[in-house]
Amino acid sequence: EVAVEESPHRTIAAGLSFQTDEGAGVLGSWEHRNLTGRADRLELDAKFTGIGLRFHTGYTLDDFRRPDQRLTFRLLAL
């Protein structure tokens, strides 16, 4: 017997980073899965480093028009 349970729809993450070319950084992200009930995903993430800011947002809709097709929108700002 196997019991299956749906995971939470939202994920929040935060972290610290260090890279030799960018220096120390702080990053955070937020994700909402199944936002409209159509197996879609909305993602937002940001990274602040010693040389700048990177912001990314994306929206993905699986099974768009066909089961093997995916629609994705992405926006990246540096």
Side-chain angles (χ1 to χ4, degrees), residues 12-65:
I12 298 174
L16 301 172
S17 68
F18 182 81
Q19 295 178 322
T20 56
D21 59 342
E22 295 183 346
V26 177
L27 51 112
S29 68
W30 177 81
E31 178 183 55
H32 192 300
R33 292 176 300 283
N34 206 21
L35 182 66
T36 63
R38 299 180 56 200
D40 55 345
R41 184 172 60 246
L42 177 64
E43 306 165 74
L44 303 169
D45 64 65
K47 182 177 182 182
F48 303 95
T49 65
I51 62 170
L53 163 68
R54 182 186 73 102
F55 178 76
H56 166 261
T57 184
Y59 178 77
T60 303
L61 178 60
D62 289 328
D63 299 333
F64 178 73
R65 302 184 114 187

